[in-house]
Structures are given as C-alpha cells and as structure tokens.
Amino acid sequence: MNDKMFEKANELSVQQVDVYTDTRDLLAHARVNARRRGFQDWFICDVDAHHVETVHWHEIIEYIEDPVIREQALMYQKERIGAPPYGLNGDLGLRYQDVGGRIPHQSGQREKTEPGVHRDVTLTRRAMESLGVDVMVVFPTPMLFLGLHPQPEMEVWLGRAYNRWLIERILSADDRIKTMIYLPFNSPDEAVRMVEEFGDAPGVIGFCITSTRHKAVHHNDYMKLYAMIEERGKPLSFHAGYHWQDPSLATVNRFLGMHALGFAWCNIVHMTNWVLNGIPERFPKLKSIWIESGLAWVPFLMQRLDDQYLMRSSEAPHLKRLPSEYMREHCWYTTQPMETHNKKALANTLEMINAETQLLYASDWPHFDFDLPQEISDLPFLSEQAKRNILGLNAARIFGLDTTLRKSL
Amino acid sequence: MAEYLVCGVDDIPEPGHRVVQCGEAEIGVFRFGGEFHAWHNSCAHRQGPVCQGRLYHRVVEPLANDGTVRMLAHDPERLHIVCPWHGYEFDVVTGQSPGDGSLKLRRVELRVQDGEIYAVL
Ligand code: FES
C-alpha cells in the first residue's frame, strides 16, 4: 500500500506524434507560448509558410491551359503508378527531409479535416491559430525545384495552373491567406504575362522567383518584368531552395550539409548579380525580399562585396554606394531559418541588415526547421517596437496589409 | 510537492515511454535498460513536445583502425527521444543533447513502489 496521498496522472491523448497528428495537437505548446507572450495583441504576419501542392496535384493539373498537355497530365495522374506527380522534377534531397521519420510533420500531414472546406485552407488555418499568426503567406513545396526543369514550357504550364488553382481554391476561401505568385522566370515573356494576369487578384501580395535556377537575374530580358513589378508597388521575392545535383555541391554527402549550403548559396549568387549589376539603382522603388536562406549569409556577403567592390569599382559602374548599402536599404529578408545559437553573431547580423525595418518574420511551417514567432520576441537585444515591426508591421508596410488582429489565441 | 500515479511498471514496454499530465505539468516517463527516467515534456530548444516524439537508438559511425568508415550503426546502449518539432535528440537516461551537453531536459523525480510508478513534482 502507498502511504502517501497521490493523484492519478492523465495520459495525454497523443502519446507519440505521427503523420496523422492534428496540427493543433502538435503545436499545442506553440499556442500556449504565444498566449503567454501576449501575442493576442500583436499583429503577426508569417511571410513564408508552405503547403504541399502535390497532395492536390489532380486538382491543379485541371488548370493547365494547354489542352494537349492537360489531357496528358490528367491521363498520367489517373493511370500511372509508382511515378512522381506529372511534370515535377523534384530533388533527391526531398526524401531525407524528415530525418528518417524523426520529424513526422515534414513527412506528411495526413490528419483529418472536415468536408466542405479545402484541406489546404484548413491546414493553413490550424497553423495560423497555433502559431498566433494573423496573416500567412503560402508557397508551394516541390514546385520550388521547377526552375531546373529541362523544359522551360513545363514551368509555364504548371506555374500558371498552380497560380490559378491557388487563387480560385485557396486564397478565395480565406482573406488571411496570401501568396506571392509563381513566376516562370525561365520564360521572361510568360513571367510578364503572369504578372498582368494575376498581379491584381485578391490575395496576391507580390511575385515570387524560385531561386534554384541557372538564370542571370540581371539579363536584359528581365528589365521589362522588373519595371512592371516596380510600377505595381508589390514586392518581388527570391524564394531559396537547394539543388543537390548542382556541381558546387557534388561532394557534399550529408543532407544537412547540402541543405545548409544550398538554401543560402542560390540567393548568394542571385544577390551578387542583383547588386553588382545595379538593379536597385535601375529600379529604386522595386522591393526585393530574400526568403528562406536564413540571415547569416547577409553580413558575410555584405563584407565580401564591399571589400572587393572598392578595389574594382570599374566593374560595377552602376553603383553609387557600397553593395551593403543597397542590401540594407533596398532589400528585405525573412527570418527563417534564423541562426540563433550564437546570440552575439545574431545581434550583429540584425544590426547589419537594419532588422528594425528590413526583417520579416517567417515560420516556414510545416518544414523541419520552422521558426516560431517567439524566436523574435524572446531576443534580449531588440526593442519592443523592433520586435513588433519584424513580426508583422514591416510586412504590413511593404505589402500594404490591414493590421486588424484576426486571430484568437 | 505532489505525487502522481503514472501507471504500473508493466504498462511501459522495454524500451518505451508514456506521456502524462500531472496537474499543470506534462511529463514523459521512459523505460530503458530496466530503469525508469522522467522528463518534462518541454524541449530545451523551443519548448516543443519532446516526450511525444519517437525513440531511436543513437546513431554512430564506427571507425576502422585505419580511420576509414564503412557504415552507420545503432548504439544499443543509448536511446534517444527525438523532439518531433525540429528533431533535437536527447538521451533518455541523461536528458542531454548529444551535440551540446548544455542542452538538457528537465528531470522529474520518480518513485517506484509495489509495481507502480509515481512522479514527484
Ligand atoms: S522544440 Fe524541440 S527540437 Fe525544437
């Protein structure tokens, strides 16, 4: 007999998280954390979250404009087994993301959803309510590799279909869900057409170039596109990704190494071209956002380019100031995956990029390296105003968002 | 200090774990190597539900005498609980992260008596 008084402990309903776990259960601690930090009164915009568009690929391919390709895609989706979704090239790395099942939400989200509301709308709402987010900007996942597809047409066919599907089926269902539409950047004229066609659609707050591609962002072919986007006033984002087949990563054998380098590398290359070719001078009102490369690469590149530029300024004649000044004033950055382990280095990074005005919170939910809003609010070296700016007010300013609080925590 | 009856010792498989609510606290009770250890269900990284993760033996890469490697292996002596949020791993016996010993889970005292496990909080 036990001689002490005791209570009986209650078993938690989720003993072990798996791919069927409800987002709200998995993120229950995030919601508690958000409540404790008083986020109910903070406008929070998550500038980079994802959905897995391939789950609804059968819906998306119905929006392919070309009737022959559409028929091909529909037949393929209906009858082929054991092959990836129609038209997608993907990357080898995709099969390692969940670390052998250790991070189930990265493998899949097979939780139950109610009929009558699109599944991706429900999952996005659940994430918003759990993280304490008012506005969530969603991006696709395997389509991030589409810029490497050997057929540039495929990017146009699928990019356009995806944009139409997203606007009609997802964004129209909830005005808290936004996107920056996919631009088929390998086909400049089609990218222009995409801006014209979808640029003013409800929920479209900007334009996205997926960064894994071998195209020179400074090529004359793109000037018309940049001019158009500048005139519209909506930002242009470069969403990073990795590409394990890139020759520069050919010797990297661990996914973690490839992922750590790949996500930064593509944007390092594009930013270098962007700045040294004077795009910010040519289009001074064009707002560029650099997404999902973390932040540590920014001070590195600022220092490298500044030092080299001063020795060889004749090679970058458009520049009237240091490369770092363009990077600080004309470019915005999303936080995730924020390198937090060395707080001193992080403080320095945030100062160098002028985080108070240029930094935008992003979760990257549901990916394995997602960040919570508390990453920002818990930083000891930022003022409350800076934290509020980063978590939502900077995004509100550059996207023209209504800052009415929409969540209930 | 309060005591909570978690379950009977036979209710947790070897190896295995059970996650329970004790008043305000969520805790995970782990059985490994014939011992029981309990940790708060709050990850040392971002307070994620670490104890609701999956269990994996620590991964090692044995070195041959000449410094070469051939394959990975599981260390049967070390069991890790893996936080399902971002994958941080913690030794279920020491509560420590293998990569950074200063990252630790918070221990909960257990008392085993008459085939029952009690958590002391
Ligand atoms: S909260 Fe546990 S790994 Fe991040």
Side-chain angles (χ1 to χ4, degrees):
Chain A
M1 264 297 279
N2 194 327
D3 51 0
K4 288 196 183 169
M5 294 294 288
F6 61 81
E7 281 177 49
K8 184 137 179 31
N10 294 317
E11 243 185 278
L12 294 196
S13 59
V14 178
Q15 283 294 301
Q16 188 164 276
V17 167
D18 62 22
V19 292
Y20 298 98
T21 304
D22 190 297
T23 301
R24 292 164 294 186
D25 289 329
L26 176 58
L27 293 177
H29 288 196
R31 192 150 189 229
V32 171
N33 288 355
R35 228 182 267 138
R36 278 197 191 129
R37 286 163 175 82
F39 287 162
Q40 182 54 50
D41 301 326
W42 290 49
F43 174 75
I44 299 184
C45 176
D46 177 355
V47 177
D48 177 29
H50 288 265
H51 61 155
V52 184
E53 71 281 11
T54 41
V55 172
H56 298 101
W57 207 239
H58 57 287
E59 291 177 6
I60 293 173
I61 55 172
E62 287 188 29
Y63 287 87
I64 293 176
E65 188 179 17
D66 184 311
V68 177
I69 301 303
R70 183 171 63 242
E71 180 187 64
Q72 223 178 66
L74 288 167
M75 288 307 286
Y76 175 94
Q77 285 299 127
K78 200 164 116 201
E79 300 192 342
R80 273 295 289 269
I81 52 165
Y86 179 85
L88 289 180
N89 44 327
D91 188 277
L92 278 177
L94 280 171
R95 63 198 68 170
Y96 297 93
Q97 299 240 135
D98 66 343
V99 205
R102 286 167 174 79
I103 311 177
H105 58 88
Q106 176 73 75
S107 320
Q109 292 170 290
R110 295 182 214 164
E111 66 202 79
K112 284 209 182 83
T113 55
E114 311 79 34
V117 181
H118 197 285
R119 186 178 165 75
D120 280 7
V121 173
T122 300
L123 293 185
T124 307
R125 284 177 177 161
R126 286 179 185 174
M128 285 197 281
E129 110 183 30
S130 302
L131 296 171
V133 162
D134 295 281
V135 172
M136 193 171 249
V137 184
V138 294
F139 289 94
T141 302
M143 283 179 67
L144 294 177
F145 303 103
L146 207 45
L148 296 164
H149 200 288
Q151 297 168 277
E153 304 85 0
M154 190 58 80
E155 192 187 24
V156 178
W157 295 326
L158 297 182
R160 188 173 184 283
Y162 170 77
N163 288 337
R164 280 190 59 201
W165 169 82
L166 190 68
I167 290 164
E168 283 182 26
R169 307 288 281 270
I170 311 297
L171 304 187
S172 65
D174 192 327
D175 67 355
R176 292 172 306 160
I177 307 176
K178 312 282 188 194
T179 200
M180 288 182 248
I181 58 162
Y182 187 102
L183 296 182
F185 195 67
N186 292 347
S187 308
D189 291 343
E190 292 291 340
V192 164
R193 196 189 295 257
M194 216 73 92
V195 172
E196 279 166 349
E197 191 173 350
F198 301 114
D200 296 323
V204 173
I205 58 170
F207 307 95
C208 175
I209 297 166
T210 55
S211 303
T212 40
R213 62 179 74 239
H214 303 295
K215 284 286 171 192
V217 298
H218 51 280
H219 195 284
N220 282 338
D221 283 352
Y222 296 117
M223 297 310 118
K224 184 175 172 195
L225 179 70
Y226 299 153
M228 265 179 93
I229 293 177
E230 181 187 43
E231 197 189 315
R232 278 165 194 264
K234 293 184 180 179
L236 173 65
S237 63
F238 287 88
H239 192 300
Y242 55 72
H243 171 34
W244 211 336
Q245 274 87 38
D246 191 291
S248 66
L249 298 172
T251 62
V252 181
N253 66 339
R254 315 272 170 163
F255 175 89
L256 100 82
M258 182 281 293
H259 183 271
L261 295 178
F263 263 93
W265 180 234
C266 55
N267 272 347
I268 288 176
V269 171
H270 293 319
M271 176 65 95
T272 301
N273 285 332
W274 188 259
V275 172
L276 296 186
N277 288 285
I279 305 296
E281 276 295 339
R282 299 193 226 177
F283 305 98
K285 295 212 175 90
L286 179 56
K287 293 171 269 196
S288 65
I289 308 178
W290 303 78
I291 297 183
E292 212 182 327
S293 297
L295 297 174
W297 66 282
V298 184
F300 158 76
L301 193 63
M302 284 176 165
Q303 293 173 81
R304 293 287 291 169
L305 294 183
D306 282 359
D307 280 6
Q308 297 281 309
Y309 166 70
L310 290 171
M311 290 184 256
R312 313 175 68 93
S313 59
S314 63
E315 290 180 4
H318 287 292
L319 272 55
K320 300 197 175 74
R321 290 182 290 159
L322 290 171
S324 63
E325 293 179 60
Y326 294 104
M327 289 176 69
R328 192 163 29 246
E329 285 163 33
H330 291 258
C331 304
W332 281 257
Y333 305 90
T334 57
T335 50
Q336 186 279 340
M338 197 162 79
E339 299 87 352
T340 56
H341 216 67
N342 185 327
K343 291 281 183 297
K344 218 166 148 186
L346 177 62
N348 189 44
T349 299
L350 296 198
E351 191 191 320
M352 285 183 74
I353 67 176
N354 204 9
E356 183 146 4
T357 58
Q358 307 306 107
L359 190 57
L360 312 167
Y361 164 69
S363 72
D364 196 35
W365 176 259
H367 294 163
F368 75 92
D369 47 357
F370 74 98
D371 282 346
L372 302 157
Q374 73 192 54
E375 308 273 337
I376 298 301
S377 64
D378 290 357
L379 291 175
F381 48 78
L382 289 177
S383 67
E384 179 170 329
Q385 190 57 53
K387 292 174 183 179
R388 285 182 183 266
N389 289 354
I390 296 165
L391 282 172
L393 300 180
N394 287 343
R397 187 164 45 84
I398 67 166
F399 292 117
L401 300 173
D402 174 5
T403 56
T404 308
L405 299 171
R406 302 284 299 275
K407 61 181 170 251
S408 76
L409 271 174
Chain B
M1 252 317 173
E3 283 208 0
Y4 295 85
L5 171 61
V6 177
C7 59
V9 291
D10 296 333
D11 295 330
I12 304 181
E14 167 68 52
H17 68 311
R18 177 174 286 222
V19 195
V20 294
Q21 181 93 38
C22 301
E24 293 287 293
E26 291 176 359
I27 69 164
V29 181
F30 297 82
R31 179 176 187 163
F32 180 54
E35 291 176 0
F36 293 93
H37 299 272
W39 306 101
H40 281 272
N41 186 28
S42 181
C43 182
H45 178 221
R46 300 285 182 252
Q47 301 92 52
V50 56
C51 297
Q52 288 163 281
R54 287 173 167 158
L55 290 164
Y56 286 78
H57 281 283
R58 181 173 184 160
V59 172
V60 292
E61 190 168 28
L63 280 183
N65 286 339
D66 62 359
T68 57
V69 291
R70 185 154 174 271
M71 59 172 126
L72 302 171
H74 292 117
D75 180 351
E77 306 291 320
R78 303 261 186 99
L79 188 66
H80 287 177
I81 180 69
V82 184
C83 180
W85 273 11
H86 311 97
Y88 275 40
E89 304 200 11
F90 299 92
D91 187 306
V92 301
V93 175
T94 65
Q96 278 180 330
S97 152
D100 180 351
S102 69
L103 276 175
K104 273 185 111 167
L105 299 180
R106 202 147 63 86
R107 188 182 281 281
V108 176
E109 292 308 321
L110 291 179
R111 195 167 63 81
V112 179
Q113 187 180 332
D114 300 333
E116 310 271 30
I117 304 169
Y118 299 87
V120 186
L121 286 143

